[in-house]
Amino acid sequence: MSSNAARTLTFNVFRHNPRDSATPPRVVAYSLEETPGMTLFIALTRIRETLDPSLSFDFVCRAGVCGSCAMVVNGRPGLACRTLTAQLPAEIRLFPLPGFELIADLSVNTGKWMRGMSERLQAWLHMQEEPDVDALEARMEPAMAEAIYELDRCIECGCCISGCGTAQMRTDFVGAVGMNKIARFRLDPRDARDDADFFDLVGDDTGVFGCMSLLGCHDVCPKQLPLQTQIAYLRRGMARQGLLG
Amino acid sequence: MKIIHTDVLVIGGGLAGLRTAIGAKRRGLETLILSLVPAKRSHSVAAQGGMQASLANGIKGEGDNEDVHFEDTVRGSDWGCDQHVARMFTHMAPKAVRELAAWGVAWSRVQRGDREVVINGQRVTLTEKEAAHGLITARDFGGTRKWRTCYTSDGTGHAMLYTVSDQVIAESIPVHERMEALALIHDGLRCQGAVVRDMITGELSAYLASATVLATGGYGRIWGISTNALINEGMGAALALETGVARLGNMEAVQFHPTAIVPAGILVTEGCRGDGGLLLDNDGHRFMPDYEPEKKELASRDVVSRRMAEHMRAGKGVKSAYGDHLWLDISNLGAAHIDKNLREVKDICRYFLGIDPVKDPIPVRPTQHYSMGGVRTDHRGESPWLHGLFSCGEAACWDMHGFNRLGGNSVAETVVAGMLVGEYVADFCYSKAGQSDLSPALAREFVERERAGLNALVAKPGSENAVALRARMEQIMTDKVGLFRNGQDLDSAVVELAELLARSRNVGVRASNLDANPELVLAYRLPRMLKIALTVALGAQRRTESRGAHFREDFPARNDRDWLNRTLAFWREGDDLPSLDYEALDVLHMELPPGFRGYGVKNIVEHPDSAVRQAEVDEMLAAKPDRYSRQSALMPFKQLLPARYRARNARLDDTP
């Protein structure tokens, strides 16, 4: 922070409690003096502690790894905890992520959505057999382990869903988060499933054929997952499976 | 009032709770998990550097086994741990890492042939064996004699939590998210479940369960600056404390991690130093070898943190607007290594500090990190004072860490404890004691008590400000119950925290809605946090010695003669302070009798039994030919394990 005069920031925050029918959704403005190194986590906490104790939002790790705090910051989905106010104009608009059930204000129920998606896509490793934990582990090529970890880095924050054109139109679309999970398990040699199984899970318009390739997901993913390539690979694999069986 | 019945109620959706739930479910029990947040957001996700397990696959792990891991763990604990539990843990850790490998964790693997690494500031070439290619590799961590820490880049906790959480979904175990337990339902002898608040709707219900498992993590957030997630407020320990019968163990044993960034307090992994990163002072001087010639940056965390603080006190810290700090320099590791194995560290530096650790040193200082203390349990994870109440992971004190935990041993503990406690919970549920009747009338009574408490909070704005009281508590803990402690500060901390607890009864809530309401949440958690803070401060005040992370400047010696014991705390209803009691550690049955750790300052008041036991141990060691028979002669422990987990762990260099 090189500038000497501290800015006064105005946070225009979406407020609504969906269980309180008497109070309509509204935007409330809060003013704060900017301090060095201020993040949206620090700012929102300060608003709650000094201006409005009822303001709801979700932070857990506050370090960019848990995926709790995704929200729409000046029109763009992102992780609030690691967004520095210094990178934003003095007028800041904060809205909850679209595409998820609103809990209150900036808090949305991504957990419920993600669990539903995981159940529907059977997004877990399907073991060929239970391991003998006393024996040496099965071997894996080091490069394969790295490639799997690369796709395993998704933090289920929900940014890709709120940045997705299809997900805004059809609520049953699994989104990039879902397709990336299928790509991750499809890559994994430990998973017992084959393309026929994966086709049953994502081979339709709620899955990989619903994607319009707008790729907002790729642009907003805070972990910079290679969503564009993964969706393309998956679509090609599923098209082949659909055509040739 | 809604009553939900289940066999096993697991409170906490982190690794320990999830793995416990899988174990119980697989034994045919109806199992349900409560979590404050979606399970994958739990604090386990923040474990970066890795998980210790003595697989001995890599060349720098050669010769490693359970015995070496056990000794490192006991030395790390400054002899405060339960050695039987440490043995169970080191035996189980390879099984846990192998189970996770099969379940989906993409552990980093051994690459055959030459690779360049940094050891003690020098570039060195290691040659990995052909036979080890593709097995799980490991990195170096502090306080260990072998490279034993298995990892996936520096996102190990994430990879583990997602894998185990996915298997919970595969097992169709329900996770009731955004649910908070407010009280344990019990009759003074038997725990019967919990009163639970839905944090979205505010609805209160009773969960009646044969077994209740607290897997709620630590209590780091009673300090102002902590590496912990915001949800680690010690609420699980507080629930146990508020029963008046269950006891907490060693609450004063609190770890300060050497390398959290300044000012945000976010952790950068010990893997930075394990992989060859250095600590530098305001002159750019590497100071740790001056203090710790043997282990240097890789002594145990308590020792490195104290040495750093000592160095800053000597005027060698770097001045900043946020107080003094030191530098962690990983630039010597090179961009390729950092991009592959320390990518979260790079992200943290970029987003929170605006620096690139490939070129720039990282500002760090010791920061609250881990709670060795917690709900005191036996080796099965059950409270000896409240049947049917179990605890595991960081929430528990069963007690494998004693007064200092080694890096890589906590994320390992979560899954190991889950594997074991899941079995013991199931055994309990199928036993006669586990099948005793649960009382809906008792549940109703407990729910109504909580309801009355919440209604009272929202009925008045109150004369005290919860935010201000909490800030004062955090400041007291930071200033007076920190890395260096003394009697005078601790006396005043106890007095002032007790005052804050009294004042917290006058906190009210301005917004009167009982559903999603952060002000209400703080109001009901604050007195519980203060009770935990008081338990920590009082334990620290009474313990007039220094052991592991508990360091008393007025009592710098480790006093085995008078203090080789575990603190037990309980809180009688209506009292202003917790009551403390102590259980002695039995030197005459230790496999590794008390001695010098090999790092840190040697300043020990000997226990009279230590020399006696050492002589016995030496004699037994000489008499037995192989390590397994030596071990079982010294301190048999296999009988404590579930039968399914008693087999030996295979290793590459096993002789047929």
Side-chain angles (χ1 to χ4, degrees):
Chain A
M1 298 292 293
S2 54
S3 101
N4 295 327
R7 293 190 300 172
T8 298
L9 304 176
T10 305
F11 295 87
N12 298 294
V13 181
F14 175 86
R15 301 292 313 266
H16 183 49
N17 179 346
R19 290 162 304 282
D20 178 6
S21 52
T23 317
R26 64 207 186 278
V27 172
V28 178
Y30 302 99
S31 288
L32 276 187
E33 187 156 305
E34 188 172 33
T35 49
M38 181 181 262
T39 60
L40 289 178
F41 161 63
I42 294 171
L44 284 167
T45 304
R46 206 164 288 167
I47 290 171
R48 182 145 92 189
E49 288 183 350
T50 62
L51 300 172
D52 190 339
S54 69
L55 180 62
S56 284
F57 47 77
D58 292 320
F59 290 97
V60 179
C61 76
R62 61 79 175 89
V65 296
C66 80
S68 298
C69 66
M71 59 182 72
V72 180
V73 182
N74 286 349
R76 191 181 172 88
L79 298 181
C81 72
R82 67 178 202 191
T83 301
L84 293 164
T85 55
Q87 292 160 355
L88 299 171
E91 286 276 331
I92 298 165
R93 278 171 295 120
L94 300 178
F95 277 67
L97 278 191
F100 300 95
E101 189 179 290
L102 181 70
I103 293 173
D105 306 336
L106 299 173
S107 171
V108 294
N109 205 335
T110 48
K112 184 176 170 185
W113 193 100
M114 294 295 166
R115 170 94 185 202
M117 176 274 296
S118 284
E119 287 174 352
R120 202 176 116 206
L121 295 184
Q122 301 177 25
W124 56 85
L125 190 110
H126 286 50
M127 278 170 268
Q128 282 146 25
E129 54 185 352
E130 276 292 324
D132 172 0
V133 296
D134 305 323
L136 283 192
E137 64 274 15
R139 289 167 199 268
M140 180 182 278
E141 275 302 310
M144 175 58 78
E146 283 166 31
I148 294 168
Y149 177 66
E150 189 61 35
L151 304 187
D152 203 40
R153 294 174 62 248
C154 169
I155 58 172
E156 297 189 4
C157 61
C159 286
C160 61
I161 298 303
S162 51
C164 172
T166 306
Q168 302 312 310
M169 294 187 294
R170 52 183 314 160
T171 53
D172 56 358
F173 185 55
V174 301
V177 56
M179 289 185 278
N180 178 68
K181 281 185 191 288
I182 294 297
R184 179 245 178 274
F185 292 113
R186 186 166 171 254
L187 175 67
D188 197 323
R190 295 168 293 190
D191 200 294
R193 291 173 289 185
D194 61 18
D195 270 357
D197 300 312
F198 293 123
F199 186 86
D200 286 344
L201 297 169
V202 292
D204 64 5
D205 285 355
T206 67
V208 75
F209 301 119
C211 170
M212 301 183 291
S213 301
L214 299 175
L215 296 170
C217 56
H218 187 97
D219 295 339
V220 299
C221 176
K223 290 288 155 185
Q224 284 106 38
L225 291 170
L227 299 173
Q228 179 174 7
T229 14
Q230 290 306 318
I231 293 171
Y233 286 166
L234 184 64
R235 185 161 39 207
R236 196 166 63 193
M238 292 299 102
R240 190 189 305 120
Q241 178 65 34
L243 291 169
L244 309 175
Chain B
M1 184 193 74
K2 192 161 78 182
I3 297 185
I4 291 164
H5 294 266
T6 183
D7 295 323
V8 180
L9 173 66
V10 177
I11 303 176
L15 276 169
L18 296 174
R19 184 59 187 85
T20 302
I22 290 173
K25 179 76 194 286
R26 288 184 169 187
R27 290 276 301 272
L29 294 163
E30 197 181 326
T31 302
L32 193 155
I33 299 167
L34 296 182
S35 184
L36 290 176
V37 296
K40 285 173 178 164
R41 319 255 189 252
S42 304
H43 187 50
S44 305
V45 85
Q48 297 171 359
M51 147 167 187
Q52 283 205 45
S54 58
L55 299 181
N57 292 326
I59 200 76
K60 296 293 279 181
E62 236 175 15
D64 199 9
N65 58 41
E66 297 84 358
D67 300 350
V68 188
H69 190 186
F70 167 78
E71 288 198 10
D72 286 347
T73 300
V74 174
R75 288 174 197 278
S77 81
D78 221 354
W79 273 272
C81 72
D82 179 323
Q83 295 195 7
H84 285 91
V85 171
R87 258 296 168 192
M88 292 164 70
F89 162 72
T90 54
H91 170 78
M92 287 295 293
K95 300 183 198 305
V97 84
R98 285 168 172 163
E99 178 176 88
L100 291 171
W103 287 10
V105 173
W107 296 111
S108 294
R109 301 287 170 147
V110 177
Q111 173 74 51
R112 64 171 83 87
D114 288 354
R115 67 188 177 113
E116 214 174 56
V117 298
V118 176
I119 299 175
N120 191 22
Q122 306 294 317
R123 289 209 163 258
V124 183
T125 300
L126 297 181
T127 308
E128 297 291 356
K129 285 180 297 196
E130 174 71 33
H133 183 76
L135 295 175
I136 295 168
T137 191
R139 60 170 29 137
D140 200 9
F141 251 45
T144 66
R145 276 175 292 164
K146 302 286 179 185
W147 291 23
R148 187 187 296 130
T149 303
C150 309
Y151 63 96
T152 52
S153 184
D154 58 348
T156 314
H158 168 91
M160 292 169 69
L161 182 64
Y162 271 58
T163 292
V164 177
S165 197
D166 285 345
Q167 291 300 325
V168 161
I169 299 171
E171 298 275 351
S172 301
I173 298 171
V175 181
H176 291 192
E177 295 173 358
R178 295 179 185 267
M179 291 283 188
E180 176 166 9
L182 296 182
L184 295 174
I185 300 167
H186 68 98
D187 57 11
L189 296 169
R190 169 81 202 277
C191 183
Q192 304 192 11
V195 178
V196 175
R197 174 174 178 265
D198 183 322
M199 298 176 77
I200 299 176
T201 66
E203 186 184 13
L204 291 185
S205 42
Y207 283 61
L208 278 177
S210 300
T212 305
V213 185
L214 291 170
T216 46
Y219 44 90
R221 280 286 158 185
I222 60 175
W223 280 264
I225 302 179
S226 166
T227 64
N228 285 195
L230 305 173
I231 51 176
N232 296 6
E233 297 177 317
M235 289 302 103
L239 292 185
L241 194 62
E242 289 195 331
T243 63
V245 283
R247 300 185 181 203
L248 308 184
N250 284 346
M251 292 295 281
E252 66 271 32
V254 177
Q255 180 171 83
F256 290 75
H257 194 290
T259 61
I261 64 167
V262 178
I266 296 169
L267 178 75
V268 289
T269 174
E270 184 159 320
C272 291
R273 284 172 289 135
D275 290 1
L278 305 175
L279 290 168
L280 307 178
D281 65 15
N282 59 354
D283 298 324
H285 170 64
R286 182 188 176 197
F287 59 92
M288 277 307 295
D290 305 342
Y291 296 101
E292 296 292 332
E294 177 69 24
K295 300 293 287 183
K296 307 178 181 73
E297 282 84 357
L298 289 172
S300 61
R301 288 176 178 173
D302 57 328
V303 169
V304 177
S305 285
R306 275 198 296 276
R307 296 304 198 183
M308 291 169 72
E310 195 178 338
H311 203 61
M312 287 191 282
R313 281 180 168 189
K316 305 306 287 179
V318 182
K319 305 279 176 224
S320 85
Y322 303 98
D324 287 5
H325 65 76
L326 293 159
W327 300 116
L328 170 65
D329 183 9
I330 61 171
S331 61
N332 58 332
L333 307 184
H337 181 89
I338 292 170
D339 287 340
K340 184 170 142 189
N341 288 318
L342 296 168
R343 55 199 297 178
E344 295 297 336
V345 169
K346 192 176 176 182
D347 266 4
I348 288 165
C349 288
R350 182 170 105 198
Y351 287 106
F352 295 94
L353 295 166
I355 63 170
D356 178 3
V358 172
K359 308 191 299 275
D360 309 313
I362 309 166
V364 294
R365 76 172 156 238
T367 300
Q368 194 288 333
H369 180 62
Y370 188 80
S371 314
M372 274 78 72
V375 180
R376 177 68 185 136
T377 73
D378 60 19
H379 70 275
R380 299 159 45 253
E382 191 181 17
S383 169
W385 301 276
L386 192 57
H387 294 298
L389 176 65
F390 290 77
S391 183
C392 59
E394 190 173 351
C397 176
W398 61 329
D399 154 12
M400 66 163 272
H401 303 302
F403 278 76
N404 176 67
R405 156 175 94 68
L406 294 183
N409 260 359
S410 71
V411 81
E413 177 189 20
T414 61
V415 279
V416 164
M419 290 169 84
L420 295 177
V421 174
E423 297 297 323
Y424 298 130
V425 160
D427 293 344
F428 172 81
C429 287
Y430 287 119
S431 74
K432 202 173 162 203
Q435 293 183 350
S436 62
D437 287 342
L438 304 174
S439 164
L442 186 68
R444 193 172 305 276
E445 197 182 302
F446 272 79
V447 169
E448 291 316 316
R449 186 193 298 180
E450 292 307 312
R451 194 188 309 283
L454 295 175
N455 286 337
L457 281 174
V458 296
K460 56 184 171 60
S463 56
E464 292 283 359
N465 178 335
V467 170
L469 296 188
R470 177 175 187 164
R472 185 60 204 145
M473 169 190 74
E474 293 176 351
Q475 198 61 49
I476 294 168
M477 296 307 286
T478 303
D479 294 345
K480 298 179 177 178
V481 199
L483 191 55
F484 292 112
R485 301 168 175 180
N486 66 71
Q488 199 182 344
D489 281 348
L490 290 167
D491 291 348
S492 81
V494 170
V495 169
E496 210 186 331
L497 289 168
E499 281 169 16
L500 292 180
L501 177 61
R503 287 171 62 190
S504 73
R505 300 197 179 99
N506 300 320
V507 163
V509 177
R510 279 163 285 181
S512 64
N513 58 308
L514 285 161
D515 65 341
N517 181 347
E519 190 186 11
L520 175 63
V521 171
L522 175 60
Y524 65 68
R525 286 184 191 168
L526 178 66
R528 294 176 180 141
M529 278 189 255
L530 282 162
K531 284 182 180 174
I532 295 301
L534 266 167
T535 307
V536 174
L538 192 66
Q541 182 222 33
R542 297 273 174 86
R543 184 171 284 276
T544 49
E545 66 148 358
S546 294
R547 183 180 301 277
H550 171 69
F551 191 84
R552 287 283 299 256
E553 292 179 288
D554 42 355
F555 296 95
R558 187 183 94 197
N559 185 343
D560 290 348
R561 186 189 63 206
D562 303 320
W563 284 103
L564 194 55
N565 59 25
R566 189 173 293 119
T567 308
L568 298 176
F570 60 105
W571 200 300
R572 291 192 190 89
E573 200 170 335
D575 279 3
D576 297 327
L577 285 178
S579 300
L580 299 188
D581 201 352
Y582 294 90
E583 62 178 312
L585 271 57
D586 181 2
V587 176
L588 292 175
H589 288 89
M590 285 182 182
E591 181 173 342
L592 188 66
F596 176 51
R597 300 166 91 186
Y599 43 79
V601 176
K602 185 177 178 184
N603 183 3
I604 304 168
V605 179
E606 300 280 352
H607 191 285
D609 290 344
S610 294
V612 178
R613 180 59 177 166
Q614 189 62 57
E616 278 177 12
V617 168
D618 292 343
E619 198 175 314
M620 277 193 254
L621 287 178
K624 297 283 181 184
D626 75 293
R627 72 181 187 92
Y628 293 106
S629 56
R630 279 200 297 266
Q631 196 288 319
S632 64
L634 286 173
M635 194 186 74
F637 75 97
K638 289 271 179 81
Q639 76 284 358
L640 302 175
L641 291 164
R644 66 190 304 171
Y645 291 134
R646 289 180 191 169
R648 291 179 184 178
N649 297 308
R651 284 187 184 77
L652 202 53
D653 61 358
D654 282 344
T655 40

